Amino acid sequence: MASSNDHGMTPNVSSYTAVISAWAKSGARETVDRVERLLLDMERSDTGSVAPNVMSYSTVLNALAKSKDPSSMERSMRILQRMENEQFDVRPNSYCYASAMECISTSPNKKMICDHALTLLRRMTDYQSVDKNDQNKNESFTVVFNTAIKAVERSGERRKDQVAFHFLTMMKECHKDGILNAPPSVRTYNAFIRSCAFTDGGRNERSEAFNTAVEALEEMRALEGVELDMYTYPAAFRACQELLLINCEEDLERMRNIFESCCEDGLVDALVLKNMSNFLPQAFMMSLLRTRKVPASVRLKDLPHSWRRNIYSAKHSGRKTRLRNRTK
């Protein structure tokens, strides 16, 4: 590409970035080698029109994240280091860090995922705290923390609830102190609840993890500007399934409280019912639904309208609902 001498065919940064993007979508085995080589060609070029910009770097990092190649994490860290050193006067943005975090989350060494994620979060906050470029101050870094919390779920960490809590606390403090614009979103809390759900340990550890998940759910319900979606309560019921006992009256009461909150928020949908029926005893399900029907035969139209009043099907962005007119 760089050797083309055809009139009007001189490669520039846009054409390089387009080729990198094409490799990212190809799914080919050699993608990681190809995109990194193209980026190095851009960095080493004497032609100013080929010098990489932030889009070039973010496209390469995204390609590495999508590849799930075992070497993607190491490669992404090298690229970020060059950006942070500002060798080419290009600073990493939130998408660059989020892609690097995604590379960490797919690392084959699951025991080290949380350590690497924490290192990257600290590295990002340190860099942003001394960055004199005001352009990044208004940019949202929420997606980076969201990806880090999702990485906790995929990790080999036993006390996932504690690590996720540390990441969420770090996120809130960075936002409050003005280091980063990173307000927690519904996706933040959904990922947090799911991470808690997969905590490993004995009865006490699991109970603590469930309490942590419930506190996050209640915090989210009370926050202005954060609207629950159709993945919130499925995550909460996954926590019930993984952390509680169906033969314990106290735990069943905890599950009932979650369902009552779901009804109160008008977010009972088919996915919630399916998740509940996967593990709850039939008699208990019938008591929750206030019906004599076999739970498998219950349809949404059979339930009170108030329980499902906020279900809204969207055709885009994967978001299925918008919570509105919630009454408490």
Side-chain angles (χ1 to χ4, degrees):
M1 179 176 180
S3 62
S4 174
N5 292 318
D6 294 342
H7 181 69
M9 292 294 290
T10 303
N12 56 26
V13 63
S14 297
S15 53
Y16 266 94
T17 303
V19 173
I20 291 170
S21 181
W23 273 109
K25 297 175 182 177
S26 71
R29 288 184 178 181
E30 64 268 33
T31 292
V32 292
D33 291 325
R34 293 283 189 171
V35 298
E36 189 170 28
R37 191 180 308 158
L38 285 165
L39 181 62
L40 289 172
D41 287 345
M42 296 173 75
E43 292 177 341
R44 295 167 180 168
S45 175
D46 295 329
T47 306
S49 62
V50 178
N53 55 27
V54 69
M55 179 64 72
S56 309
Y57 282 105
S58 62
T59 303
V60 170
L61 289 166
N62 183 53
L64 294 176
K66 288 182 176 179
S67 74
K68 294 181 171 56
D69 186 276
S71 68
S72 64
M73 184 185 75
E74 183 179 347
R75 293 173 189 258
S76 67
M77 294 303 110
R78 288 200 302 262
I79 293 171
L80 268 183
Q81 187 65 61
R82 297 202 298 273
M83 296 185 75
E84 290 172 341
N85 290 342
E86 300 179 17
Q87 293 177 234
F88 304 94
D89 197 29
V90 179
R91 299 174 176 85
N93 61 16
S94 61
Y95 294 104
C96 294
Y97 284 109
S99 292
M101 189 67 75
E102 184 68 23
C103 291
I104 290 174
S105 73
T106 58
S107 169
N109 187 356
K110 294 185 179 296
K111 291 183 178 180
M112 293 301 295
I113 285 177
C114 291
D115 288 339
H116 289 310
L118 179 58
T119 298
L120 182 57
L121 288 177
R122 287 174 173 167
R123 176 172 161 178
M124 177 182 71
T125 55
D126 288 346
Y127 178 78
Q128 293 300 320
S129 65
V130 299
D131 186 8
K132 296 180 180 179
N133 181 20
D134 291 334
Q135 184 177 354
N136 284 349
K137 298 304 180 183
N138 294 324
E139 180 183 5
S140 175
F141 283 78
T142 295
V143 64
V144 186
F145 286 95
N146 290 357
T147 309
I149 294 172
K150 289 179 183 177
V152 176
E153 180 188 339
R154 300 174 184 173
S155 75
E157 181 69 38
R158 292 182 70 251
R159 292 303 302 266
K160 292 180 173 64
D161 58 321
Q162 294 182 348
V163 179
F165 183 80
H166 179 56
F167 286 1
L168 179 58
T169 301
M170 186 178 180
M171 179 184 193
K172 292 176 181 177
E173 290 177 350
C174 285
H175 183 65
K176 180 181 178 182
D177 295 341
I179 297 173
L180 290 170
N181 178 27
S185 67
V186 62
R187 294 187 179 189
T188 308
Y189 286 101
N190 289 352
F192 179 85
I193 293 170
R194 280 192 60 86
S195 291
C196 290
F198 293 98
T199 294
D200 190 17
R203 172 66 171 163
N204 290 338
E205 289 80 7
R206 290 172 183 270
S207 182
E208 289 176 7
F210 182 78
N211 289 339
T212 300
V214 171
E215 288 172 5
L217 176 61
E218 292 306 315
E219 179 179 309
M220 174 168 44
R221 295 178 74 212
L223 278 176
E224 292 291 335
V226 176
E227 298 180 337
L228 282 67
D229 65 18
M230 296 312 295
Y231 302 104
T232 301
Y233 281 102
F237 281 109
R238 190 58 187 267
C240 292
Q241 180 179 1
E242 299 293 336
L243 301 173
L244 301 182
L245 301 175
I246 60 173
N247 58 356
C248 173
E249 287 298 326
E250 181 182 352
D251 283 358
L252 288 176
E253 190 60 30
R254 288 173 163 182
M255 298 179 204
R256 183 183 297 277
N257 291 338
I258 296 294
F259 182 70
E260 288 177 353
S261 294
C262 186
C263 294
E264 185 178 321
D265 293 336
L267 291 173
V268 178
D269 76 337
L271 182 58
V272 167
L273 295 179
K274 180 178 183 298
N275 286 7
M276 292 169 61
S277 63
N278 284 340
F279 71 99
L280 288 179
Q282 179 171 297
F284 183 67
M285 274 284 292
M286 292 171 67
S287 72
L288 290 180
L289 300 178
R290 303 174 190 174
T291 180
R292 294 182 180 180
K293 286 186 175 182
V294 176
S297 67
V298 174
R299 299 292 180 263
L300 286 179
K301 65 181 181 179
D302 300 326
L303 303 177
H305 179 265
S306 62
W307 291 9
R308 48 190 170 86
R309 69 186 183 279
N310 285 317
I311 296 173
Y312 173 75
S313 296
K315 296 182 179 180
H316 53 82
S317 76
R319 314 301 285 179
K320 290 186 178 180
T321 191
R322 183 176 302 163
L323 181 60
R324 50 192 187 275
N325 300 326
R326 184 175 69 203
T327 58
K328 289 195 173 184

